[in-house]
Structures are given as C-alpha cells and as structure tokens.
Amino acid sequence: MPEPIGIAGEHVAVLPVGKRHVIVDADGIDRVFDIVSGNVTLLGFDIVGGEATSAAATSGGGVLVRSGAGAVTLSLMRVSDNRAQLGGGLYNSGSDTAVLASEFFDN
C-alpha cells in the first residue's frame, strides 16, 4: 500500500531543481506529506491530489504537520484539490508553522 512522503529529521528542505514546474500528486491514494519531526521547508512547488478521508487518516490531505515537528515553513506553494475530514490542504498540530506567499484552493 502506498504511503505519504514522511519527513522526520533535523533540517529538511524540499524544493524543485531547475526551471521546471514541479507538481507532487498523490492521485487520491493517501496524504502527500506527513511532517513528523524536525525543521522543514517546502518551497516553490504544487501539492495536489492528497486524500485523508479513511478511518485511519482524517487530517491533512495535502500536508499534515504533527505536534513533534519543529519550525515548518511553506513558501511560494500552491496547495489544491486535496481532501480530508479536517484540513484538506493543511492540518497543523505544530507549534511553529508559517505559510508565506502561498495559495490554497479547492481543498
């Protein structure tokens, strides 16, 4: 069974390389990113197609920020077409999450 992209580490940055427009698409299989711990930066790409509507996964179809996460920043992001019972695009349980110059729509 496919799993979301789990992020757990001290310092993690996820950003596109080159001039291509990057889209991370879960295609309705699971949530896209599950941020468990560490300081994380998501910079300059699209998050689409996340799904967290099962009994086991109800929050954060696009991005789930768990309470153990450190500083989390979403910057220049487009988050769209994600589904969840709580927080279709983003569900935040972290204590230090920032969203900068980003778009959320159709979640």
Side-chain angles (χ1 to χ4, degrees):
M1 175 102 175
E3 295 286 328
I5 300 170
I7 299 176
E10 194 167 318
H11 299 283
V12 177
V14 180
L15 57 142
V17 176
K19 295 182 180 184
R20 292 182 182 237
H21 182 83
V22 174
I23 300 171
V24 180
D25 186 349
D27 198 27
I29 296 170
D30 206 333
R31 78 173 45 94
V32 184
F33 287 99
D34 187 351
I35 301 173
V36 177
S37 64
N39 299 321
V40 176
T41 299
L42 303 178
L43 176 64
F45 60 93
D46 292 6
I47 296 173
V48 302
E51 186 86 21
T53 56
S54 70
T58 60
S59 303
V63 180
L64 173 61
V65 180
R66 296 188 185 262
S67 61
V72 176
T73 302
L74 283 76
S75 183
L76 302 173
M77 298 294 296
R78 290 178 43 152
V79 181
S80 65
D81 299 311
N82 300 285
R83 304 286 175 255
Q85 292 176 14
L86 300 168
L90 168 68
Y91 187 86
N92 178 44
S93 291
S95 61
D96 189 9
T97 300
V99 177
L100 309 169
S102 296
E103 297 177 343
F104 288 76
F105 56 95
D106 296 332
N107 291 293

